[in-house]
């Protein structure tokens, strides 16, 4: 008879969702996979992260362990191939361990434009934060303020105004129609900026205050008037047609 004595062997690999190469979308935070260890004897394993600020571990008594992403990645700031590597150690019940290198490929996500601002007001308006004040007799098609936005992916951004009175031309906010203090002394102006694909957009709100202008009196025009006018001797109680308004 030959007696074969078992020798406790160390683990051979650590996997997350069955692989050592992960893919996660940028800005993601949360659980990214189940940890497993390949070991000839099997068993329950203890895991430890090595010098990682992005990840955390969840480990339970029954041997189930999860890897979490605690700090999101920004694909646009990482640049290049956007692959991040880190190490994790798995130790079996007898103290044998393996140090495994894992890689995470960060996948770009199309993000909405950021930093939508209306600034650099011209002499025709005054601005304090998101509040704009202008006179009702402000001339049309004149630059009022600059409109800017940033696409995180570096693409072109198109901005427009959700208001019939204004328009944006060459990144300049302009008045398209005349304002009227008597009918709309104040309102909210929505500035919308879209990315080049038209898939993502961002909105900023400007509170517009219209200042009353001293307008000239308007003249009533008479039609079909009688050239002779009204005789001065006509009694006040007399009814007669003078003209059509």
């Amino acid at each position: 008879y030959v007696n074969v004595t078992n020798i406790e062997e160390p683990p051979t690999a650590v996997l997350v969702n069955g692989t050592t190469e992960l893919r996660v979308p940028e800005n993601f935070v949360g659980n990214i996979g189940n940890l497993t260890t390949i070991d000839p004897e099997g068993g329950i394993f203890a895991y430890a992260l090595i010098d990682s600020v992005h990840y955390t571990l969840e480990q339970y008594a029954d041997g189930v362990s999860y890897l979490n992403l605690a700090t999101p990645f920004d694909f646009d700031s990482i640049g290049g191939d956007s692959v991040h590597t880190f190490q994790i150690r798995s130790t079996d019940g007898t103290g044998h361990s393996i140090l495994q290198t894992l890689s995470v490929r960060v996948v770009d996500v199309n993000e909405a434009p950021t930093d939508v601002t209306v600034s650099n007001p011209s002499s025709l308006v005054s601005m304090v934060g998101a509040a704009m004040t202008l006179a009702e007799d402000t001339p049309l098609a004149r630059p009022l303020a600059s409109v800017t936005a940033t696409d995180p992916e570096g693409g072109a951004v198109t901005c427009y105004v959700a208001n019939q009175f204004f328009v944006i031309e060459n990144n300049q906010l302009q008045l398209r129609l005349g304002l009227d203090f008597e009918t709309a002394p104040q309102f909210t102006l929505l500035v919308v900026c879209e990315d080049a694909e038209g898939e993502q957009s961002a909105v900023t709100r400007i509170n517009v205050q219209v200042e009353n202008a001293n307008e000239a009196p308007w003249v009533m025009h008479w039609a079909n008037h009688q050239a002779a006018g009204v005789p001065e001797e006509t009694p006040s109680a007399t009814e007669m047609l003078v003209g059509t308004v």
Side-chain angles (χ1 to χ4, degrees):
Y1 297 94
V2 177
N3 293 322
V4 179
T5 302
N6 184 41
I7 298 176
E8 186 68 32
E9 299 169 278
T12 58
V14 179
L15 306 176
V16 180
N17 289 343
T19 183
T20 59
E21 298 179 353
L22 304 170
R23 292 171 61 89
V24 298
E26 65 171 327
N27 305 320
F28 175 80
V29 172
N31 181 281
I32 59 175
N34 183 23
L35 284 163
T36 56
T37 297
I38 306 300
D39 185 287
E41 286 76 37
I44 294 178
F45 304 88
Y47 299 95
L49 292 165
I50 309 299
D51 297 331
S52 175
V53 297
H54 288 279
Y55 306 93
T56 60
L57 294 172
E58 287 184 63
Q59 302 184 74
Y60 299 95
D62 60 0
V64 177
S65 298
Y66 298 101
L67 179 67
N68 297 322
L69 186 59
T71 304
F73 288 103
D74 181 9
F75 179 92
D76 307 293
S77 63
I78 295 174
D81 204 21
S82 297
V83 176
H84 178 261
T85 60
F86 68 100
Q87 291 182 312
I88 187 169
R89 185 183 300 279
S90 176
T91 305
D92 64 16
T94 62
H96 291 92
S97 66
I98 181 175
L99 185 63
Q100 179 74 56
T101 298
L102 300 170
S103 65
V104 173
R105 181 176 297 277
V106 182
V107 181
D108 191 20
V109 174
N110 186 22
E111 300 166 278
T114 61
D115 303 324
V116 179
T117 59
V118 179
S119 59
N120 300 322
S122 72
S123 59
L124 297 173
V125 301
S126 62
M127 286 194 69
V128 178
M132 174 185 289
T133 302
L134 69 167
E136 65 175 329
D137 58 356
T138 299
L140 307 184
R142 296 275 298 277
L144 302 178
S146 300
V147 179
T148 58
T150 301
D151 184 357
E153 283 71 46
V157 176
T158 301
C159 298
Y160 62 91
V161 184
N163 185 288
Q164 62 177 340
F165 292 98
F166 292 85
V167 67
I168 296 176
E169 295 286 352
N170 299 320
N171 298 324
Q172 295 293 318
L173 180 67
Q174 300 179 12
L175 199 58
R176 189 173 71 89
L177 297 174
L179 301 174
D180 184 16
F181 173 85
E182 284 70 28
T183 58
Q186 58 186 12
F187 52 87
T188 300
L189 182 65
L190 300 182
V191 178
V192 183
C193 293
E194 293 182 343
D195 61 11
E197 296 78 17
E199 298 175 352
Q200 298 287 346
S201 64
V203 177
T204 190
R205 291 169 170 80
I206 301 297
N207 298 316
V208 178
Q209 182 73 41
V210 180
E211 289 185 336
N212 192 22
N214 187 16
E215 301 165 284
W218 55 277
V219 178
M220 180 181 292
H221 295 278
W222 297 69
N224 301 323
H225 63 280
Q226 297 186 20
V230 181
E232 62 178 340
E233 299 87 358
T234 304
S236 59
T238 302
E239 294 184 2
M240 64 178 297
L241 176 66
V242 176
T244 303
V245 179

